[in-house]
Amino acid sequence: MSLKLTADERAILEGKEGEARKFAMEILVKVAEGSGAERLIPISSVHLVLHAYKSAFDAGVIAAEKIADMGARFSVPTTIDPYGMDAEDWRAAKTPEQYAVMQERLEKAVMRIGVIPVWTCTPYYGFNMPRFGENVAWSESSAVAFVNTVLGARTNRQSAIVDICCGILGKAPEVGLHLAENRRGEVLIKLNVDRPLKDWEFPALGFRLGRLLGNRIGVVDGVKGSPVTENMKSLCAAAAASGSVALLHVVGVTPEAPTLEAAFGANESKQVVEIGEQDLLDTRAQMNTHKGRDVDVVALGCPHYTINEIVNVHRLLAGRKVHPDVAFWIYANSAAIAMAEKMGIRKELEDAGVTFRAGTCMIISPIREWGFKVMMTDSGKCVHYGPMECGTEMLFGGTGECVEAAVAGHVVA
Ligand code: F3S
């Protein structure tokens, strides 16, 4: 079967609704034909990844400006990933001037198209939250994995520019995870840990699953207790980074996986893998590319920290000061930071030596200028991208261990 367009879609392709919609339709038709879609389907929201000069480069900025110049407007709510530099004070973050100029050009272009400037990779916390079964077109691998896995909404991993086209038209090709038959489990993961997982074990499990699964759909059976959404955020982000996981079925958590049988549906498991406590410890050891105990920077908030996570750091720090030789940075969106400010804990954390990096992230903002050699984090995604994007060796641990290292100036055994 080949792609069939409706009369309205053909009219857009013929240019009857203007240059921008014609352009967007031409792109979507090419993507749909290339992926074997039979039709385009309505989507209710988009989340963009053309967000940071560090990943967009000149070509991405110019492309966004050209699309804006055509008079493009988003037709569905469209949010966007983190800003490419500290949104409150890029100069204090040592952002090169030329970089800032290009970031601001990119910002102006997407604003002209009508983006909702949330500048966060966790738009599902309060800005853009799809419901179960809803079709959306999101980029940002961690958010894609979260909405498929935790909310049961449906999206493929969209890419930059294609996501803009989806936003302009309010449509996406009906392929991959939009189709129920492609959402069934493929690999059974038996988790042999007879207690609720510790906070660091969620990203460690995600990291291990990403490497194991690639883009296959894993069914994780045996997660005890009731993970909070922040745990699931860490798990999904790590799996989506170390592999290209876009959907996990966590039995008892994922809406489509109330039972093991429901997670597999008509599928038979192609592989069964057992994971126990020692496997998670081994994975943790692999995540530590730095073998010493010294730390230059502790970076938390990948994906962006929620207000709950900021409160947790405040509690763990318990009035102590950050070591003068360590930078301790928290990345969060403007809403979480505003809430921390309102609660008075932003000031207390800053007085203790913590820096809030607003609306941006350690991976997609320029931080090589700081000359950090060793970064410690509680994020599996940050561990994956840190060496490549920040030029640092990585240390991984739970949030409490990160806080202790920040206070002591080194990893506390
Ligand atoms: Fe978000 Fe940046 Fe991490 S976009 S998921 S904080 S790499």
Side-chain angles (χ1 to χ4, degrees):
M1 293 279 284
S2 56
L3 178 68
K4 284 201 174 46
L5 297 181
T6 64
D8 287 350
E9 289 162 352
R10 282 199 302 276
I12 295 171
L13 199 55
E14 287 159 12
K16 292 186 178 148
E17 294 187 13
E19 186 188 4
R21 288 174 68 76
K22 178 177 193 291
F23 166 81
M25 186 57 84
E26 283 170 353
I27 299 268
L28 278 203
V29 164
K30 282 203 174 71
V31 171
E33 286 175 345
S35 57
E38 293 175 15
R39 61 179 187 141
L40 303 178
I41 49 168
I43 46 157
S44 53
S45 75
V46 169
H47 184 71
L48 302 182
V49 283
L50 196 65
H51 60 121
Y53 179 55
K54 187 170 175 180
S55 53
F57 304 104
D58 288 1
V61 175
I62 291 163
E65 288 176 335
K66 285 198 167 149
I67 295 170
D69 287 345
M70 288 181 210
R73 293 294 295 172
F74 293 125
S75 62
V76 292
T78 300
T79 49
I80 190 163
D81 240 18
Y83 202 56
M85 57 191 185
D86 190 309
E88 288 183 352
D89 194 350
W90 57 265
R91 284 193 177 84
K94 294 191 187 175
T95 308
E97 194 83 27
Q98 182 53 20
Y99 181 102
V101 167
M102 294 306 285
Q103 179 63 41
E104 284 170 356
R105 275 179 59 181
L106 180 59
E107 177 183 9
K108 280 194 189 110
V110 291
M111 292 293 287
R112 281 164 61 207
I113 308 173
V115 80
I116 302 167
V118 295
W119 303 114
T120 186
C121 45
T122 58
Y124 43 83
Y125 282 116
F127 301 111
N128 184 0
M129 195 186 75
R131 61 171 168 69
F132 177 72
E134 196 170 324
N135 285 303
V136 298
W138 283 29
S139 302
E140 170 47 49
S141 63
S142 67
V144 165
F146 187 95
V147 298
N148 279 313
T149 301
V150 181
L151 305 180
R154 298 181 175 194
T155 180
N156 292 310
R157 284 167 63 128
Q158 295 296 349
S159 54
I161 304 293
V162 175
D163 52 12
I164 290 184
C165 297
C166 290
I168 292 169
L169 296 172
K171 289 175 185 282
E174 188 185 40
V175 283
L177 295 176
H178 289 296
L179 295 163
E181 63 267 29
N182 295 333
R183 297 178 65 86
R184 296 175 189 143
E186 297 172 286
V187 176
L188 173 59
I189 294 109
K190 291 186 178 171
L191 185 66
N192 297 324
V193 179
D194 204 20
R195 52 164 173 75
L197 294 179
K198 299 171 188 164
D199 68 345
W200 68 265
E201 290 175 318
F202 284 94
L205 175 61
F207 199 87
R208 192 173 185 98
L209 291 179
R211 292 200 166 167
L212 168 77
L213 294 168
N215 64 359
R216 296 178 299 169
I217 299 173
V219 178
V220 185
D221 193 26
V223 173
K224 301 283 185 294
S226 184
V228 296
T229 58
E230 285 86 352
N231 296 144
M232 295 303 296
K233 165 171 78 83
S234 306
L235 172 78
C236 290
S242 70
S244 44
V245 169
L247 164 62
L248 282 172
H249 289 296
V250 179
V251 176
V253 176
T254 301
E256 288 151 288
T259 62
L260 198 53
E261 295 69 34
F264 280 103
N267 277 6
E268 300 249 321
S269 169
K270 292 177 187 149
Q271 189 184 357
V272 180
V273 179
E274 304 217 6
I275 295 179
E277 281 187 51
Q278 189 56 48
D279 298 309
L280 296 177
L281 285 166
D282 293 346
T283 304
R284 178 185 165 124
Q286 290 162 13
M287 293 164 82
N288 283 318
T289 60
H290 182 62
K291 300 305 170 198
R293 294 172 58 208
D294 49 306
V295 179
D296 298 323
V297 57
V298 172
L300 307 179
C302 173
H304 274 171
Y305 253 19
T306 64
I307 185 62
N308 296 338
E309 291 172 304
I310 296 171
V311 168
N312 187 38
V313 170
H314 181 260
R315 181 185 62 79
L316 291 166
L317 204 50
R320 294 172 297 165
K321 297 269 186 218
V322 173
H323 192 281
D325 295 338
V326 176
F328 188 174
W329 293 355
I330 292 178
Y331 292 83
N333 64 46
S334 54
I337 293 175
M339 194 57 69
E341 197 161 326
K342 211 166 186 179
M343 293 170 74
I345 59 175
R346 175 176 186 171
K347 180 160 187 335
E348 288 181 20
L349 285 167
E350 287 177 337
D351 288 347
V354 175
T355 300
F356 281 88
R357 291 278 174 232
T360 186
C361 93
M362 64 292 273
I363 301 300
I364 54 82
S365 60
I367 73 164
R368 281 179 194 262
E369 285 69 13
W370 290 80
F372 297 133
K373 300 259 181 312
V374 182
M375 180 187 287
M376 186 165 186
T377 183
D378 58 358
S379 159
K381 179 168 179 176
C382 183
V383 161
H384 179 78
Y385 286 112
M388 200 167 26
E389 298 295 338
C390 309
T392 51
E393 290 191 76
M394 302 306 298
L395 284 166
F396 169 74
T399 310
E401 293 164 287
C402 291
V403 169
E404 292 310 315
V407 170
H410 55 79
V411 173
V412 179

